[in-house]
Amino acid sequence: MFYGVPLKSRLFLGTAQYPSPAILRRAIIASGADVITVSLRREGAEGASFREILQQSACRILPNTAGCHSVKEAVTTAHMARELFGTSWIKLEVIGHADTLQPDPFKLVEAARILCNDGFDVFPYTTEDLILGERLLAAGCQVLMPWAAPIGSGQGLRHKEVLRTMRAWFPDTPIIIDAGIGAPSQALEAMEMGMDGILLNTAIAHARDPERMARAFRQAVEAGQDAFQAGLMPRRDMAQPSTPVFGMADLT
């Protein structure tokens, strides 16, 4: 449940950098995603074919403020996106570092507070910092979207224990891993931690076969969610036999 909206799929799909509109369309279908993210700047540049894909996908649109580096720029972009797409949902990005694309924590909280007060349902792209997470929730956000690694790096879960701590620290807050996921196995591991969703783009868009990769991520996210809900066995320091030793014949 995200801002009161139930979703069937926990996979959120980005729509940038695909080889062609046709491949993007097939990848969206194969992913089973209910939500696709769209950059306002890209939507304006792509033209009619891209808008047609958005309309035909039947997915919920999550506009984002990709490329924004200031509070004013992010807030203005969010308002334009709400008018264009007719949704209060916004993925908030306020970039603070040009090389790592790490969000600026101070500007992010300020922009989140403004947008929440303006009636937006904010999905903030953040780090795994717990204090920053608390500030974003206090600003009005009901979802947190920590990175696994820098955007487009494919490094996967660089700080697993910290992410586990974040999951435990905010037990009732939906958490979506956003950025840095490069393989279905990494998405599966994040879902096994109890995360509520995975948002990715590059790992599918840059695959040799995006449609097949989208299907692989769909299966991984579903498997990870099922495993978490089923209850993973605890890790042990020593071996434990699966076959009872009681009642075995003594052959000595």
Side-chain angles (χ1 to χ4, degrees), residues 5 113 128 222 225:
V5 178
R113 182 176 295 110
E128 64 277 85
E222 291 174 351
Q225 183 184 7

Side-chain angles (χ1 to χ4, degrees), residues 5 7 9 11-15 24-38 51-63 85 87 89:
V5 178
L7 301 175
S9 173
L11 179 60
F12 292 61
L13 188 66
T15 56
L24 169 59
R25 182 182 290 108
R26 293 198 297 270
I28 292 174
I29 295 172
S31 73
D34 291 328
V35 178
I36 55 178
T37 65
V38 179
R51 286 193 292 271
E52 183 180 355
I53 292 175
L54 301 183
Q55 293 168 356
Q56 293 178 352
S57 70
C59 293
R60 190 179 186 93
I61 303 298
L62 176 60
F85 294 109
T87 177
W89 281 22

Side-chain angles (χ1 to χ4, degrees), residues 35-84:
V35 178
I36 55 178
T37 65
V38 179
S39 167
L40 180 64
R41 297 177 179 181
R42 181 169 182 267
E43 196 281 339
E46 291 290 340
S49 62
F50 183 63
R51 286 193 292 271
E52 183 180 355
I53 292 175
L54 301 183
Q55 293 168 356
Q56 293 178 352
S57 70
C59 293
R60 190 179 186 93
I61 303 298
L62 176 60
N64 67 52
T65 62
C68 293
H69 292 260
S70 70
V71 173
K72 182 178 181 181
E73 190 178 15
V75 170
T76 300
T77 301
H79 278 275
M80 292 173 63
R82 182 164 65 178
E83 182 175 342
L84 178 62

Side-chain angles (χ1 to χ4, degrees), residues 183-193 198 219-221 223-225 227:
S185 58
Q186 298 165 359
L188 187 150
E189 186 174 12
M191 295 302 293
E192 286 182 342
M193 290 180 183
I198 303 292
Q219 295 166 343
V221 169
Q225 183 184 7

